[in-house]
Amino acid sequence: MSWQDHADALVSTKHVSHAAIHGLDGKKWASTEGFEVGIEEARTIIAAIDSPDYAALLPKTGVFVGGERFTYVRSDQGKNLFARKSGHQVGGLFVSKTTRAVLITLFGDNVSATDCMCEVERLGDYLISMQT
């Protein structure tokens, strides 16, 4: 499968509304239609996943994707990051890091964070097992 196929497959689950795949340098490899994550936005997310010190800054600054601000909730060092739509209790952002890429996804108000996380981590674990 191509990187685009993986991004499209995440959205086809209905637990992810938008998906992008970026390399660990922040450069875009694939994204679903209408979802643009800037290279600096991707680099900031990667830094937060990799560094607890950097992640500690995010509760104050927030996480930006496509110019939209998300309220940082938590990250598991080296693995993932979770944020909510600012000012909302539902909908949000979930990111999973693999060996070579990050899967940056949004989920809508009608989807549970758990459902989104499960789908994205399933793909992330698969890509890690394939060393990609």
Side-chain angles (χ1 to χ4, degrees), residues 45-110:
I45 290 168
I46 293 163
I49 292 172
D50 287 342
S51 167
D53 292 335
Y54 197 91
L57 302 173
L58 294 181
K60 188 174 191 176
T61 63
V63 180
F64 288 85
V65 170
E68 183 177 353
R69 185 180 189 278
F70 292 82
T71 302
Y72 173 81
V73 176
R74 70 173 173 80
S75 59
D76 297 321
Q77 187 178 359
K79 180 118 175 100
N80 58 45
L81 180 140
F82 172 60
R84 288 269 184 212
K85 285 184 185 176
S86 290
H88 293 81
Q89 292 301 313
V90 293
L93 165 74
F94 184 72
V95 181
S96 182
K97 183 180 173 193
T98 72
T99 310
R100 294 179 30 209
V102 286
L103 311 174
I104 303 170
T105 63
L106 299 182
F107 60 96
D109 297 348
N110 59 340

Side-chain angles (χ1 to χ4, degrees), residues 26-44:
K27 292 180 183 173
K28 181 175 86 171
W29 292 358
S31 68
T32 54
E33 189 174 336
F35 186 50
E36 292 299 322
V37 178
I39 191 168
E40 290 306 318
E41 293 173 331
R43 287 177 177 164
T44 297

